[in-house]
Amino acid sequence: MSSRPAPLIPPRLRAFLVRVPFLVPVVRFLRRGPLARDRNLLITLSVASLAIGGLAARVSTEWFSPSLLVLVTLAGGLQLRLRSLAKLLGAVLVALAYIGAVLGVASIGVGLMVTIGFTTVLAVLMARTRGKLGVQGLRGDVMLLELRDRLKSQSELPSMPKDWGAKVVLKQAGGSSFGGDFLVSMRDGDNVEIALVDVSGKGVDAGTRALLLSGTFGGLLGSVEDFLPACNAYLHRQRGDEGFVTAVHVRLNLTTGDYTITSAGHPPVVKLDAGTGNWQIASAKGVVLGVVPDLHCEPDSGVLRKGDALLLYTDGLIEQPGRDIDAGLDRLLGEAERLLPSGFRDGARALVNSMASGHNDDCALVLIWRP
């Protein structure tokens, strides 16, 4: 639900102004049109710029320093459209010219001119970026925060019964809020479906595509019988080469513990067998999503008994420059044997931190177990 911006003129003051006959046209002008807020802010900042110039030239540069024009320019870059910003910059230039004409160019100083010039370039870049997005003010940053929160909430597993445990750990490259690894899941009665997806690239570069695919894959999960083939058909219809996508899908019955794993170019799922204490590598495999029109997956199935666990992860945990993937998988299983016996819930985070140290890549891990 979108929130309406606060009115520029308080309601009580506006009610008083409309009662004054000669102010009625002014109030109507300030409220007219969809861009009234932008126009009113332009008028306010332009008047402030000219006032600063006049007061600095005629009263005192100590009380009304020309450097205040830097703040006016920055405020315009944060809030105004590009066309309105150009008009504001004209008013700032007039104010500087008036100060220089009255007090001399030396009263402005080279340092202030360089600062205003740098702020002007920054303000133009910010206004142009917002213009491409079609948003006003800081709404673009708010939209990114909302998208981040939606992606984060979508990556949460559904509630599990008391005789089941689950933990998700996502760690994006560079500490970013966006990355190429994401999770979609759903629960329908005793059936749970989980899909861990890895988009090529890392950090913010892969985050935009991951945001798009998370909504698409989340809509397909639970709506189609063959989840990965449906995702493959969607990606194959898309035009352009934006890199590959790998995914692993797990369908689990919470009553019987039966599970089915399908994979599309994703690192293999591993299972902890409580009876032997060993990690077993699942045999599910398939081609990377979007490469071929008809995806054929070789599933793997089994049963999770008391004490067993399933470990899903992305290649950021096992891939390291100059090292073989099999060596990375062996290291992952070795760290799992060392860290997870102390507790699955706390050990999952420790496992990701241990495997992700020393390289900068998106990492994701999903651990499901039966206590």
Side-chain angles (χ1 to χ4, degrees), residues 271-284:
K271 173 191 173 184
L272 173 63
D273 190 335
T276 62
N278 297 325
W279 289 93
Q280 302 172 355
I281 300 177
S283 60

Side-chain angles (χ1 to χ4, degrees), residues 157-167 186-194 252-257 304 306 345 367-371:
L157 288 173
S159 59
M160 306 288 280
K162 62 180 181 179
D163 53 344
W164 285 87
K167 179 69 175 180
M186 60 83 62
R187 177 182 174 183
D188 183 12
D190 291 334
N191 295 315
V192 172
E193 294 190 46
I194 299 170
L252 174 66
N253 186 285
L254 298 176
T255 302
T256 62
L304 277 183
K306 298 294 184 179
R345 192 170 301 277
L367 187 61
I368 306 171
W369 68 91
R370 299 188 73 175

Side-chain angles (χ1 to χ4, degrees), residues 123-168:
V124 170
L125 291 176
M126 290 188 297
R128 187 170 63 177
T129 301
R130 287 200 321 276
K132 292 179 180 179
L133 293 175
V135 297
Q136 283 186 297
L138 302 178
R139 182 58 185 168
D141 296 332
V142 175
M143 289 173 60
L144 286 177
L145 292 175
E146 292 177 354
L147 288 173
R148 181 205 62 185
D149 294 339
R150 287 179 180 271
L151 183 62
K152 186 175 295 185
S153 62
Q154 193 174 34
S155 297
E156 296 177 355
L157 288 173
S159 59
M160 306 288 280
K162 62 180 181 179
D163 53 344
W164 285 87
K167 179 69 175 180
V168 178

